[in-house]
Amino acid sequence: MSDFWSAIILGIVEGLTEFLPVSSTGHMILTGHLLGFTGEKAKTFEIVVQLGAVLAVLVLYWRRFIGFLNFKESFSNHGKINLIHMALAMLPAVIVGLAIHGWIKEHLFGPATVLVSLVVGGLLILVADKARVRITAEKMDDISYKQAFGIGLFQCLALWPGFSRSGSTISGGMLLGTSQKAAAEFTFLVSVPVMFGATGLDLYKSRDLLSMDDLGIFIAGLVASFVVAMIAVVTFLNIIKRLSLSWFAYYRFVLAAVFYVILFL
């Protein structure tokens, strides 16, 4: 299969899975191995294509982000998510990510570690779904500073490829007393600056691997990711109103088992 069509497929996979609690990075790594799209160029592509999914959230929640530009309002506590919530949720992952970024790239980006994190992340989702914690934040704007920081601590788990940012933060939010939908929407908002920062850092460190010859496949993957992510986010928010989060855990277990058979047996 040509790199162009591999890029389209991987862009669709990224857009579909980035904001679901199933791990986009895990899917990208595993799918890349199946397509034979691996190596340094593939790793750089995985970084670039995430921008498509981030831009989808930026478009869907543009009013929120425009509101954050009013710094006086966005730092006040008037019953809405503000920049303090965002900062508290971002800080833990930023600190831990900067501290061990190189170690993560060297030791955790591989099929075996991804399969393990798919299972462990699935177990966390099951625990959160079955815990039945009393909900104190039904809507995203009800989330407290303490809950925002707690969600940020859970987001650190997503530094392990395959664990899933949305899986860890939605599960963390539920364990801290938010509804599934509130935790999901807050996760989407926080993911934008976090992913822009992480992607920018990765691109800077991978700048020597970037080539104009690869521009076409990068753009194809980014556009596919953007379009599919727009659809996936809206669909997911409607689904979680009626669907238990446990179904995503079961999917992760099945996926891990299938890829274990394909890759290791």
Side-chain angles (χ1 to χ4, degrees):
M1 182 178 293
S2 70
D3 284 352
F4 178 81
W5 288 110
S6 294
I8 294 291
I9 293 171
L10 287 167
I12 292 171
V13 170
E14 165 65 23
L16 186 61
T17 59
E18 179 60 52
F19 301 107
L20 301 182
V22 295
S23 174
S24 63
T25 304
H27 280 73
M28 292 283 282
I29 292 173
L30 296 173
T31 305
H33 274 74
L34 286 180
L35 295 174
F37 191 68
T38 57
E40 294 304 319
K41 182 169 72 173
K43 290 180 180 179
T44 305
F45 172 82
E46 290 168 9
I47 297 166
V48 172
V49 79
Q50 285 184 327
L51 288 175
V54 179
L55 290 172
V57 173
L58 198 58
V59 170
L60 288 170
Y61 288 91
W62 67 270
R63 288 186 177 85
R64 286 277 185 174
F65 288 103
I66 290 296
F68 289 150
L69 296 179
N70 183 341
F71 289 102
K72 182 177 180 180
E73 287 293 317
S74 59
F75 277 107
S76 63
N77 187 7
H78 57 287
K80 283 189 176 182
I81 290 294
N82 57 44
L83 286 180
I84 298 177
H85 289 92
M86 299 286 284
L88 289 171
M90 290 167 52
L91 190 61
V94 169
I95 292 174
V96 176
L98 288 175
I100 62 173
H101 177 269
W103 185 88
I104 291 171
K105 285 288 185 182
E106 183 178 352
H107 296 285
L108 296 184
F109 271 77
T113 53
V114 166
L115 294 182
V116 173
S117 62
L118 280 172
V119 174
V120 177
L123 293 174
L124 174 63
I125 290 173
L126 284 180
V127 169
D129 194 50
K130 304 300 182 184
R132 305 300 180 192
V133 176
R134 185 175 69 88
I135 295 176
T136 59
E138 187 66 47
K139 299 180 296 183
M140 178 173 64
D141 287 322
D142 297 330
I143 293 175
S144 68
Y145 291 148
K146 183 178 179 180
Q147 287 171 323
F149 182 69
I151 290 171
L153 292 175
F154 274 96
Q155 185 172 216
C156 292
L157 296 172
L159 295 171
W160 181 1
F163 212 99
S164 168
R165 178 180 293 102
S166 58
S168 59
T169 52
I170 294 173
S171 298
M174 291 169 64
L175 290 171
L176 294 168
T178 74
S179 68
Q180 284 186 177
K181 188 172 186 295
E185 287 196 290
F186 186 57
T187 293
F188 298 160
L189 288 188
V190 173
S191 71
V192 171
V194 169
M195 289 175 65
F196 265 127
T199 300
L201 177 62
D202 278 336
L203 283 177
Y204 175 76
K205 292 188 174 184
S206 304
R207 63 191 182 279
D208 294 336
L209 302 174
L210 298 174
S211 169
M212 288 299 294
D213 295 336
D214 298 324
L215 185 61
I217 65 171
F218 283 6
I219 292 176
L222 190 148
V223 171
S225 173
F226 172 79
V227 173
V228 175
M230 289 273 286
I231 300 170
V233 168
V234 175
T235 303
F236 178 58
L237 289 175
N238 288 324
I239 286 175
I240 61 172
K241 294 176 184 177
R242 347 179 255 281
L243 186 68
S244 166
L245 207 63
S246 293
W247 288 105
F248 293 99
Y250 301 142
Y251 167 79
R252 292 169 67 108
F253 298 151
V254 171
L255 182 72
V258 169
F259 273 97
Y260 177 78
V261 171
I262 292 173
L263 296 175
F264 297 105
L265 294 181

